[in-house]
Amino acid sequence: MIDHGISRRGFLAASAGTAGLLAAGRPVFAALQKPASPVTLNVVDVAGNLALTQKAIENYRKAKPDWASRIVFSKAPAPELPGKLKAQQDANRVDIDLVLTGTDVLSAGIDQKLWVNLLPERAGDLPKLSDIYLEPAARMQGLAEGQGVVVTYYPSGPLFEYAPERVKQVPKTAAELLAWAKANPKRFAYARPANSGPGRTFLMGLPYILGDKDPKDPVNGWEKTWAYLRELGETVEAYPAGTTPTMKALGEGSLDIIVSTTGWDINPRVLGVVPKSAEVFAVENFRWVADAHYMCIPRGVSAEKLAVLLDLMNHLLTPAQQAYTYDEGYFYPGPAVKGVTLAMAPKESQDAIAEFGRPSYDKLIADHPIELPLAADKLVQAFRRWDEEIGGRKGK
């Protein structure tokens, strides 16, 4: 993932008995048990989410030093974390308190029973999520099966990003994209879906674009998709392990078209990894496949830390803290909570999006349906099949 800068945040109007009501002009958090002494929290990010939430998490420590004395941040490759966490749990030595993840590790963790059940068990310690979330974010919450809480959301993709000085005939359909890739071998690529937001969005978006039998069933409903990916794969030199190498390759000129999303289009151009002049396109029959980041608590975390983590979740779902998630466009727009506007974000966020955002995204979002990603078990199946049948032909 890209190393982005910091993020930005704030304040929430939430639900009965939980966070976000105003008292004396200050936020009131859920009535959770304060720890006997401040705790140290270890937060692991496998999705690039700290670009959106780190400042907000640090704001929590500053606001409640008697709850959290120190917060340690680290990043890990998504495919490696479930195995590491399982080993810690088997040894009864869990040292990870909070995981910030996309649907990939969320799904793997549900599959392997790595996460604490938060809903409905802890519903009274959290905002009433259905009341505070944007409608697609509320639908994304359903994918967590009660084992994670959405913290950021965006419509995602799949979009295609290209160098206009090198691509003169922009494909308008999936068939035209395949024809372009065959005519320009090794000039198109995407990253391994199990470790790439754009990669997995492309994987899940293709069944809609191609008119497959059942876009929600990668085993029995994706006949056209798997055939297309195999044929497209004949033109691809390699599938990078993450998204960042594809962005660098586009910027350096070794690739001409890559798979992207709204955030992966905006943020690398802000950072100068990709030229500002890069353009994007969507193909015929395009539908958004939404994406979100989740807060997940591993099984084995102490009860005392669990209370602090739930309190932190309340804090992160307030509109003021959500406003930081606009960041520099990495997960554009970013907020999962209703009523959080760009005008509430820090000036650097507003400036970055004013310069590098695309007004066309508002129309694309308005004009095309927003679909949910695959359910956890189906996503695991899709990753496994892609790794075996598509990525396995090339290595990663």
Side-chain angles (χ1 to χ4, degrees):
M1 296 286 177
I2 284 184
D3 237 350
H4 335 268
I6 53 176
S7 331
R8 355 279 173 192
R9 13 274 155 222
F11 208 82
L12 143 87
S15 70
T18 69
L21 300 175
L22 292 180
R26 298 196 320 232
V28 176
F29 299 109
L32 289 153
Q33 183 66 45
K34 179 180 173 180
S37 59
V39 302
T40 295
L41 297 179
N42 290 304
V43 177
V44 176
D45 174 22
V46 295
N49 179 262
L50 285 174
L52 314 174
T53 60
Q54 184 167 340
K55 184 67 181 300
I57 296 171
E58 289 170 344
N59 287 346
Y60 176 79
R61 182 188 57 79
K62 292 172 186 173
K64 305 192 90 169
D66 49 343
W67 287 63
S69 58
R70 184 167 175 248
I71 301 178
V72 179
F73 300 100
S74 61
K75 299 178 184 181
E80 295 175 11
L81 187 77
K84 178 179 180 179
L85 207 44
K86 184 72 165 61
Q88 289 186 4
Q89 290 171 342
D90 289 346
N92 292 316
R93 293 174 63 99
V94 175
D95 66 8
I96 296 169
D97 301 312
L98 181 68
V99 176
L100 301 171
T101 177
T103 54
D104 44 7
V105 172
L106 168 74
S107 300
I110 292 171
D111 188 53
Q112 297 177 43
K113 299 178 170 54
L114 302 180
W115 311 126
V116 170
N117 286 313
L118 297 173
L119 299 167
E121 290 86 342
R122 293 285 181 164
D125 294 325
L126 291 163
K128 189 175 181 184
L129 301 178
S130 60
D131 285 354
I132 67 167
Y133 280 149
L134 296 166
E135 187 274 333
R139 285 192 283 140
M140 291 297 293
Q141 178 59 38
L143 295 179
E145 299 181 21
Q147 295 177 54
V149 173
V150 168
V151 65
T152 49
Y153 151 79
Y154 80 135
S156 192
L159 302 171
F160 301 92
E161 194 162 354
Y162 69 100
E165 68 277 11
R166 301 193 297 274
V167 180
K168 300 303 183 183
Q169 286 290 104
V170 178
K172 293 182 174 60
T173 65
E176 287 182 10
L177 177 64
L178 179 60
W180 184 94
K182 287 181 175 180
N184 300 272
K186 303 180 182 179
R187 306 300 295 177
F188 168 83
Y190 61 99
R192 181 190 178 206
N195 196 35
S196 166
R200 68 175 173 269
T201 302
F202 177 52
L203 181 64
M204 292 184 287
L206 265 180
Y208 295 101
I209 291 167
L210 297 174
D212 245 324
K213 183 172 70 175
D214 185 353
K216 298 295 188 187
D217 185 355
V219 175
N220 300 308
W222 286 17
E223 183 179 349
K224 295 176 183 177
T225 295
W226 295 119
Y228 184 90
L229 289 171
R230 282 191 291 271
E231 196 170 353
L232 185 63
E234 298 302 319
T235 75
V236 174
E237 184 172 23
Y239 300 102
T243 312
T244 300
T246 67
M247 295 290 158
K248 289 180 177 176
L250 180 66
E252 293 164 359
S254 53
L255 290 173
D256 296 335
I257 300 179
I258 61 172
V259 172
S260 192
T261 63
T262 59
W264 277 99
D265 160 42
I266 296 170
N267 189 250
R269 290 188 297 118
V270 171
L271 299 177
V273 176
V274 173
K276 185 179 179 180
S277 60
E279 293 288 350
V280 295
F281 66 90
V283 296
E284 190 177 284
N285 299 325
F286 162 76
R287 294 186 181 205
W288 296 101
V289 177
D291 200 0
H293 289 158
Y294 298 81
M295 303 176 281
C296 296
I297 301 174
R299 286 189 304 103
V301 168
S302 70
E304 188 173 56
K305 282 193 173 182
L306 179 59
V308 178
L309 291 163
L310 289 165
D311 198 51
L312 172 61
M313 288 181 179
N314 278 280
H315 168 82
L316 293 176
L317 292 174
T318 61
Q321 305 307 314
Q322 283 278 302
Y324 286 94
T325 66
Y326 279 100
D327 183 53
E328 292 179 320
Y330 167 57
F331 216 62
Y332 183 80
V337 167
K338 296 174 185 174
V340 183
T341 66
L342 182 59
M344 297 166 63
K347 185 176 185 300
E348 56 266 37
S349 292
Q350 296 182 42
D351 291 347
I353 292 168
E355 184 174 357
F356 294 93
R358 299 188 192 275
S360 59
Y361 282 153
D362 291 341
K363 182 170 171 53
L364 262 183
I365 293 169
D367 290 352
H368 294 270
I370 299 174
E371 303 288 348
L372 287 187
L374 295 175
D377 59 333
K378 300 295 186 183
L379 187 59
V380 170
Q381 291 171 356
F383 287 160
R384 188 176 296 132
R385 186 163 178 182
W386 187 94
D387 283 344
E388 291 171 357
E389 296 184 18
I390 310 300
R393 294 185 170 198
K394 298 249 187 256
K396 320 283 188 298

